[in-house]
């Protein structure tokens, strides 16, 4: 089943986000390579493609896992969690309809 994982950034975490980014992307690339990633990306904190020093308000990942517990465990092991970038993470079942 598909799951939506939404990580919410804490305040003033842009430097920590940048430091943990390579490890975060490596996990997403592994999901992609396994055919289990629908989409992933950051949410700019301002209405701009590149928010610069304003940074991000969080990230969204939609990926396939065997269960909600598996999706939550994967999300909790994210390098952004370990680095203190995300102040909270939400994981919900997701059902793709369009496109």
């Amino acid at each position: 089943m598909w799951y939506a994982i939404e990580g919410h950034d804490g305040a003033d975490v842009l430097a920590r986000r940048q430091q943990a980014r390579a490890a975060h992307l490596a996990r997403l690339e592994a999901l992609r390579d396994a055919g289990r990633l629908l989409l992933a990306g950051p949410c700019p904190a301002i209405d701009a493609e590149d928010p610069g020093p304003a940074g991000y308000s969080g990230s969204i990942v939609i990926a396939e896992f065997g269960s909600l517990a598996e999706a939550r465990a994967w999300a909790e092991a994210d390098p952004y969690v370990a680095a203190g970038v995300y102040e909270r993470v939400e994981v919900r079942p997701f059902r793709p309809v369009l496109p």
Side-chain angles (χ1 to χ4, degrees):
M1 183 163 177
W2 294 97
Y3 294 90
I5 300 169
E6 187 169 7
H8 300 269
D9 284 22
D12 300 317
V13 296
L14 183 57
R16 284 184 261 169
R17 178 182 265 274
Q18 292 168 334
Q19 290 172 350
R21 187 171 188 264
H24 172 77
L25 289 177
R27 296 178 81 235
L28 292 170
E29 290 165 354
L31 284 177
R32 179 202 59 204
D33 294 349
R36 297 172 44 206
L37 182 64
L38 185 62
L39 66 86
C43 301
I46 60 172
D47 190 12
E49 181 74 24
D50 179 357
Y56 299 90
S57 62
S59 302
I60 297 172
V61 174
I62 299 180
E64 189 174 33
F65 294 93
S67 67
L68 180 58
E70 184 183 328
R72 284 184 175 146
W74 185 91
E76 290 169 6
D78 193 290
Y80 283 173
V81 171
V85 174
Y86 293 155
E87 65 181 4
R88 84 177 191 280
V89 178
E90 297 176 36
V91 182
R92 299 180 302 280
F94 179 81
R95 189 173 66 100
V97 174
L98 294 172

